[in-house]
Amino acid sequence: MVTRLLYLTRHAEQDLTEPAEPDLAEPDSGLSERGRRQAALLGERLRGRRFAAVHHGPLRRAAQTAELVARSLPEVPVYATELAGDHLPHDTDPAGLPPAYAKFLAQFSAAERVDGPRVTAEAVRRFAGPVSEGAAGDEPVRELIVTHSFLIGWLVRHALDAPEWRWLGLNSHNAGLTVIRYGPAGPPNLVAVNDVAHLPPELRGTGLPADYLV
């Protein structure tokens, strides 16, 4: 068993000026100009580290973020995967939760309450643990997942063994960096959360609640 260092980032800032597709509640748009700058700077932050792979969700904002980051990681394979998509991670019972959380959960359909947790459980099985192939003492295997806030919140909650509902309220910066270490022994180690040291002040805080900078 070999240690896995799982790097997680939320896609960079989305361009919300594009019109929504007819069958989507929100536009599957690409990145804004600010978002492209965020993604490029994240790539520069990661340059020089040896990654086994970059994985990204199927939506355009995640794919474009991964493409821009990967320009700084030559020869690292890039894969699109549903496991990194934007899914409801858990069919959380709203009983006893703050009203704002209960209202938020009510917007998800019955299908989303089934499909999202199924895909998220597959993502946990795939990524949330040490790597089974390799010899003890090998260099840690680094993988980057370009995803969405829900999966990052769920994996942080999972690493801390927190109550299942606690993925709610774990918000991620656009292009912020979260790192979880999964070693052969002991619990996961949360190395970094929402690290934005690679972003100048004017590019930080996007993707967070509107009152964050108040």
Side-chain angles (χ1 to χ4, degrees), residues 69-134:
V69 170
R71 291 179 184 178
S72 296
L73 304 173
E75 301 183 4
V76 175
V78 179
Y79 304 104
T81 173
E82 181 189 23
L83 301 185
D86 194 11
H87 307 288
L88 179 73
H90 183 259
D91 186 13
T92 305
D93 185 352
L97 295 181
Y101 287 172
K103 182 179 179 180
F104 171 75
L105 291 169
Q107 69 182 301
F108 293 95
S109 68
E112 289 171 323
R113 293 175 182 277
V114 172
D115 293 340
R118 174 187 57 80
V119 175
T120 302
E122 292 179 13
V124 169
R125 287 191 290 270
R126 167 61 180 83
F127 296 112
V131 178
S132 59
E133 297 180 2

Side-chain angles (χ1 to χ4, degrees), residues 24-56:
L24 294 175
E26 63 179 39
D28 180 18
S29 59
L31 301 181
S32 67
E33 182 56 36
R34 283 160 52 88
R36 296 182 68 83
R37 291 174 60 199
Q38 290 172 333
L41 288 168
L42 175 59
E44 288 297 318
R45 172 77 180 275
L46 300 177
R47 185 188 295 274
R49 290 174 174 82
R50 184 178 300 175
F51 281 86
V54 174
H55 308 273
H56 66 81

